[in-house]
Amino acid sequence: MSAQAYDDYVRIFDTTLRDGEQAPGFGMTIDEKVRLGRQLERLGVDVIEAGFPAASEGDFEAVRKVASEIRTPIVCGLARANEADIDRAIAAVEKAARPGLHTFIATSDIHLKHKLKMSRAEVVAAAVKAVERARRHVPHVEFSAEDATRSDVDFLVEVFSAAIEAGANVINVPDTVGYAIPHVYAELIQALRSRVKGIEKAVISAHCHDDLGLAASNSLAGVVAGVRQVECTINGIGERAGNTSMEEVVMALRTRKDVFGVETRIQTEQIYSSSRLLTQITGVAVPPNKAIVGANAFAHEAGIHQDGVLKEKLTYEIMTPQSVGVPTNRLVLGKHSGRHAFRERLRELGYADLSEAELEAAFRRFKTLGDRKKEVYDEDLEAIVHEEGADRRAEQYRLISLSVMSGSDAIPTAAVRIEIGGVLKSDSGIGDGPVDAVFQTIARVVGTEAKLVNYAVNAITGGTDAQGEVSVRLAMDGITVSGDAADPDIILASARAYVNALNRLEERRSRATQARTVGP
Ligand code: KIV
Ligand code: ZN
């Protein structure tokens, strides 16, 4: 393979920790961001956008921590095109092995007139100043023209030419509001490729939102036209309808290499565990029909399909579950399995960096689960590890005990004991059903006014002894958070998920009070 052909690949710029985290209900703690950052490194992404350092102290700290832990991918922070944001982003990636900076300014007339109140000349000047300032400290600088797909092409050519001359290594063409149509987006990329001065020195990047359900299609149309970096998120999370889904773009490029002729450097076998980790961290489940990572993505239900697949997989399968790391032999451990087997299986699942205390806590939970459930699957283990993580054990509220009475002739009643900052409190109360009784009683003990906006239960695996994975979404003061928990007893799982959401709400509210009101 020639050196040129080897270099011709599509870089994956992952913005799960920035654009993804910005979406309501997807907020992550610093430790969670670091854990996901490590998984993104295993996945083999080229760039991790770890946050927006000028947005808040918490965001700054998260970018700083991810930057200091991650070695292989470039780690960058987002910055508006002004000195203060740029300096903050530079400081946040100071410890990175491969520091990067992503600066942006809007270029559409709609944004210039109503949001920025700036002239085109002022926008070009701000972009140049920002890129030059960033390049003095950071070797890898990306410049984005926000709302590019609704901007005048002549002006885009001008601003991108100026940004490259100022030192930008990547120029990004965001479809900020999800307005683009694939062939039109491809034409825009072609126009930029032929008209922007110095374009041969920069990588062209696509950043698409999914408002019309076209984010992956637009990004792929961009690749055909010359895009060599795609900005995306795991499970396609992100503002409004979300961002381009990483797994969809990566697997489309791989499965249809005959069409695209270029691939990414993603370790596709890590896709499924990345998706699962994100789900566990945010508590937001992936829809079963989601491409690549949904529970039904490789399930063949119709008899005619099952028959075909049994005869020859190629009849109905364009990629194998193994190629994206979906576990096929999922039965792993039973209650007699020992510490060694447990530790080994966790290592295989990607949890190589657990501390002894975390391992011990997870092992104890596994043994208890093994007594209540015949077969323990990979998904059960992941749920256990997630719930026993160090960040959860250090939470403000801890559910100590729960008992519930319900039935056809009983008024649903719950009694709870909760530790609040180390102090034990208890209460009991009734509700319209057992879950309602539990939630109302916990809310009273904790003294919260959070509103329950969503409650969902899913069986993690099959069987009546399956663990129920409960996801709870709470909202208060304009902040929405999700919490999750798993247990064969779904009422207990509901209580733990509710308490988890309350802890996240506490965390987010204290971060919000420090935050300045900024946002791309
Ligand atoms: O959607 C968008 O325009 C962005 C920019 C900051 C790149 O997220
Ligand atoms: Zn975006």
Side-chain angles (χ1 to χ4, degrees):
M1 190 182 278
S2 72
Q4 192 186 358
Y6 182 71
D7 269 335
D8 191 20
Y9 72 102
V10 177
R11 290 133 189 94
I12 292 296
F13 176 111
D14 187 280
T15 185
T16 307
L17 301 180
R18 200 276 298 170
D19 225 343
E21 204 237 2
Q22 264 171 231
F26 286 92
M28 298 174 217
T29 64
I30 295 176
D31 285 339
E32 287 167 344
K33 282 190 164 196
V34 171
R35 200 172 339 139
L36 199 55
R38 289 204 195 103
Q39 178 57 29
L40 290 170
E41 186 166 33
R42 278 191 284 273
L43 180 64
V45 305
D46 299 275
V47 185
I48 297 176
E49 183 166 57
F52 184 14
S56 70
E57 275 307 316
D59 255 56
F60 176 85
E61 200 43 44
V63 177
R64 209 186 58 78
K65 199 96 189 274
V66 173
S68 61
E69 298 260 340
I70 299 299
R71 299 290 90 187
T72 316
I74 292 171
V75 177
C76 73
L78 181 69
R80 289 168 299 183
N82 66 54
E83 277 182 21
D85 273 32
I86 299 278
D87 290 352
R88 204 75 181 127
I90 292 170
V93 295
E94 198 184 49
K95 296 250 158 48
R98 300 182 64 204
L101 193 146
H102 175 194
T103 184
F104 74 99
I105 191 163
T107 48
S108 66
D109 288 337
I110 304 173
H111 278 237
L112 263 62
K113 181 167 173 218
H114 300 288
K115 186 180 88 174
L116 297 177
K117 302 190 192 326
M118 284 167 86
S119 69
R120 288 185 176 187
E122 285 168 333
V123 165
V124 175
V128 167
K129 238 173 114 183
V131 172
E132 281 176 351
R133 191 175 185 89
R135 266 311 296 269
R136 281 201 284 277
H137 304 270
V138 176
H140 181 92
V141 174
E142 168 171 326
F143 170 74
S144 283
E146 190 190 13
D147 205 17
T149 52
R150 292 192 301 167
S151 303
D152 174 44
V153 182
D154 292 340
F155 182 51
L156 277 182
V157 169
E158 183 185 343
V159 75
F160 280 139
S161 302
I164 292 174
E165 200 185 343
N169 321 79
V170 178
I171 57 152
N172 184 34
V173 188
D175 182 27
T176 305
V177 289
Y179 179 72
I181 300 295
H183 74 278
V184 182
Y185 190 68
E187 280 162 19
L188 173 61
I189 301 295
Q190 273 153 5
L192 297 173
R193 261 185 98 186
S194 58
R195 294 179 54 198
V196 170
K197 281 200 216 82
I199 193 71
E200 64 291 343
K201 289 186 272 180
V203 169
I204 307 178
S205 171
H207 176 113
C208 299
H209 282 265
D210 210 27
D211 300 67
L212 293 173
L214 292 171
S217 305
N218 287 327
S219 304
L220 291 166
V223 169
V224 174
V227 156
R228 286 297 178 268
Q229 173 175 287
V230 173
E231 305 202 350
C232 46
T233 58
I234 300 172
N235 298 345
I237 70 167
E239 286 276 358
R240 307 181 308 279
N243 286 59
T244 301
S245 150
M246 176 277 299
E247 56 278 7
E248 291 173 16
V249 164
V250 168
M251 290 315 287
L253 291 175
R254 182 168 175 184
T255 308
R256 299 309 309 270
K257 185 142 190 234
D258 57 324
V259 172
F260 296 104
V262 272
E263 273 206 63
T264 67
R265 291 184 175 166
I266 290 296
Q267 303 296 319
T268 60
E269 296 77 11
Q270 291 289 332
I271 285 179
Y272 185 72
S273 31
S274 307
S275 165
R276 287 289 305 164
L277 181 60
L278 178 66
T279 300
Q280 285 163 3
I281 286 177
T282 59
V284 184
V286 168
N289 61 328
K290 167 80 180 67
I292 320 292
V293 291
N296 293 349
F298 294 94
H300 302 280
E301 195 74 27
I304 194 165
H305 287 207
Q306 285 180 349
D307 181 55
V309 169
L310 285 175
K311 286 178 179 144
E312 169 53 60
K313 284 201 167 70
L314 272 177
T315 49
Y316 287 101
E317 225 168 66
I318 57 166
M319 57 199 154
T320 63
Q322 292 88 335
S323 67
V324 294
V326 171
T328 42
N329 179 15
R330 300 186 319 161
L331 177 60
V332 283
L333 301 169
K335 69 174 180 181
H336 299 298
S337 307
R339 260 189 194 73
H340 183 68
F342 180 74
R343 185 195 294 258
E344 270 316 294
R345 189 62 197 149
L346 287 185
R347 203 188 297 277
E348 281 163 20
L349 289 173
Y351 298 101
D353 45 12
L354 296 183
S355 68
E356 279 307 313
E358 283 167 336
L359 254 174
E360 197 46 43
F363 186 67
R364 265 188 270 115
R365 266 291 289 281
F366 157 67
K367 281 288 175 187
T368 316
L369 184 64
D371 282 336
R372 297 160 71 199
K373 191 173 184 296
K374 279 197 298 291
E375 295 159 339
V376 180
Y377 295 90
D378 286 345
E379 290 90 333
D380 293 318
L381 293 186
E382 287 173 332
I384 288 175
V385 173
H386 174 57
E387 274 195 63
E388 291 301 327
D391 46 339
R392 282 219 175 169
R393 279 182 285 118
E395 284 171 339
Q396 161 85 347
Y397 307 121
R398 274 201 330 130
L399 182 70
I400 302 299
S401 70
L402 168 76
S403 55
V404 175
M405 189 178 68
S406 76
S408 57
D409 299 323
I411 297 172
T413 309
V416 300
R417 288 200 303 152
I418 293 182
E419 212 176 77
I420 306 176
V423 179
L424 196 61
K425 292 207 170 172
S426 52
D427 201 354
S428 60
I430 58 171
D432 287 339
V435 174
D436 186 49
V438 169
F439 286 4
Q440 285 204 45
T441 309
I442 294 176
R444 204 169 40 253
V445 173
V446 166
T448 183
E449 287 178 5
K451 249 183 85 149
L452 178 70
V453 286
N454 194 36
Y455 169 76
V457 188
N458 266 310
I460 292 189
T461 56
T464 50
D465 67 347
Q467 290 205 86
E469 190 173 41
V470 176
S471 165
V472 164
R473 195 177 281 208
L474 299 178
M476 189 173 165
D477 299 339
I479 298 172
T480 308
V481 293
S482 300
D484 69 299
D487 197 277
D489 178 335
I490 57 167
I491 306 295
L492 185 54
S494 303
R496 287 214 298 259
Y498 189 75
V499 171
N500 177 235
L502 287 172
N503 276 311
R504 284 168 172 272
L505 193 59
E506 272 298 297
E507 227 261 343
R508 286 295 296 277
R509 288 181 71 209
S510 66
R511 263 168 69 184
T513 46
Q514 303 162 6
R516 283 185 259 138
T517 48
V518 292

